Amino acid sequence: MSIGTPTAALRRLMTEYRDLTIHPPPGITAGPVDESNFFEWEAIISGPAGTPFEGGLFTATLTFPSDYPLSPPKMRFTGEMFHPNVYSDGRVCISILHPPGDDPHNYEQSSERWSPVQSVEKILLSVLSMLAEPNDESSANVDAAKVWRSSREEYDSRIRAIARRSLGF
């Protein structure tokens, strides 16, 4: 969709981009990959201080549906990631990115899932929080959840190595 198409989704994404540019949250940079397509964004997330991710820079993409904000975007880390709430292909699995309404598995409350009052900033802040505090009860990456539960030292060591590699070391 081009920037000239005045849809509600495009207007909303342009507003969110402007807000993120004026008031960027600490440790997060995000915006359209190309300003001719506001439905594909890239983000760089700095690893949260006090976690094994600290010092790393983690890249991700957000893909917005044409009915945004009625439906949530999809988010995927594009670099190496090992985390209980991130599938092995990089897709992020957190409640805020799940479609609105009742959870068919009765795990999440509808208030935890996507709603149009959410924003790109809230998504990215939720992912930053997720990096620091995984939810191992709802794991997308079973291997990462097992290591997180059974050997925190091994988990932290793996994450510190990934953080170093994210910087090209």
Side-chain angles (χ1 to χ4, degrees):
M1 193 164 294
S2 73
I3 197 165
T5 307
T7 66
L10 178 60
R11 284 191 303 274
R12 169 76 178 257
L13 287 167
M14 291 173 77
T15 298
E16 289 194 44
Y17 176 52
R18 184 192 69 225
D19 293 347
L20 280 171
T21 302
I22 295 169
H23 304 289
I28 296 172
T29 303
V33 173
D34 177 335
E35 288 191 10
S36 69
N37 179 4
F38 268 74
F39 291 84
E40 295 289 332
W41 285 35
E42 58 190 351
I44 300 172
I45 300 171
S46 297
T51 74
F53 290 96
E54 184 174 14
L57 293 174
F58 303 93
T59 57
T61 58
L62 290 108
T63 305
F64 296 89
S66 60
D67 68 344
Y68 180 81
L70 299 177
S71 296
K74 295 185 182 340
M75 183 173 178
R76 187 171 89 60
F77 281 100
T78 56
E80 183 181 5
M81 181 55 68
F82 184 73
H83 190 281
N85 307 118
V86 178
Y87 289 99
S88 58
D89 67 359
R91 287 177 296 135
V92 176
C93 181
I94 57 173
S95 299
I96 194 174
L97 291 175
H98 294 160
D102 293 328
D103 178 7
H105 306 292
N106 294 319
Y107 176 75
E108 303 165 331
Q109 296 179 17
S110 60
S111 62
E112 298 172 314
R113 296 167 68 90
W114 179 259
S115 79
V117 301
Q118 306 294 2
S119 65
V120 175
E121 179 179 8
K122 288 178 183 173
I123 293 167
L124 295 171
L125 290 171
S126 293
V127 168
L128 196 61
S129 177
M130 173 204 78
L131 290 177
E133 298 178 31
N135 176 358
D136 67 344
E137 293 177 15
S138 174
S139 53
N141 184 326
V142 175
D143 293 335
K146 285 180 183 176
V147 176
W148 164 262
R149 283 187 206 119
S150 65
S151 177
R152 195 63 57 85
E153 189 174 301
E154 179 186 344
Y155 178 84
D156 288 354
S157 177
R158 279 182 87 162
I159 298 308
R160 281 192 294 273
I162 290 170
R164 280 190 305 274
R165 286 193 294 273
S166 76
L167 300 172
F169 298 125

